[in-house]
Amino acid sequence: MNSVGEACTDMKREYDQCFNRWFAEKFLKGDGSGDPCTDLFKRYQQCVQKAIKEKEIPIEGLEFMGHGKEKPESSS
C-alpha cells in the first residue's frame, strides 16, 4: 500500500520491512527489547504529517497511535 504522500512511499516500505523483520525475528521469539525501527518510523511520520498539511486533509478530532503514544483507556 502506498503512503498518503507520494514522497513518503519509499520511507513507508523501508519502515514496514524493518518492522516486519523485527517482529518476526525478535518479538515473536520473546525478545521484546527495543525497536530498531524507531528512527525510520519518526522520519516516515514527519513525512506523512507534512503531506497531510500540504493536501489539506482535515484531521481535527482524530487521535493517532504511534511511538510515544499510549493506547487510550477503555471506558467500559
Side-chain angles (χ1 to χ4, degrees), residues 22-46:
W22 169 80
F23 189 77
E25 296 175 6
K26 301 286 184 178
F27 185 80
L28 290 178
K29 295 179 180 176
D31 182 1
S33 62
D35 178 355
C37 309
T38 301
D39 290 340
L40 290 173
F41 177 81
K42 288 178 182 176
R43 285 196 341 248
Y44 172 60
Q45 184 181 46
Q46 289 171 347

Side-chain angles (χ1 to χ4, degrees), residues 57-68:
I57 298 171
I59 59 170
E60 291 79 25
L62 296 179
E63 292 184 29
F64 291 92
M65 296 281 298
H67 292 281

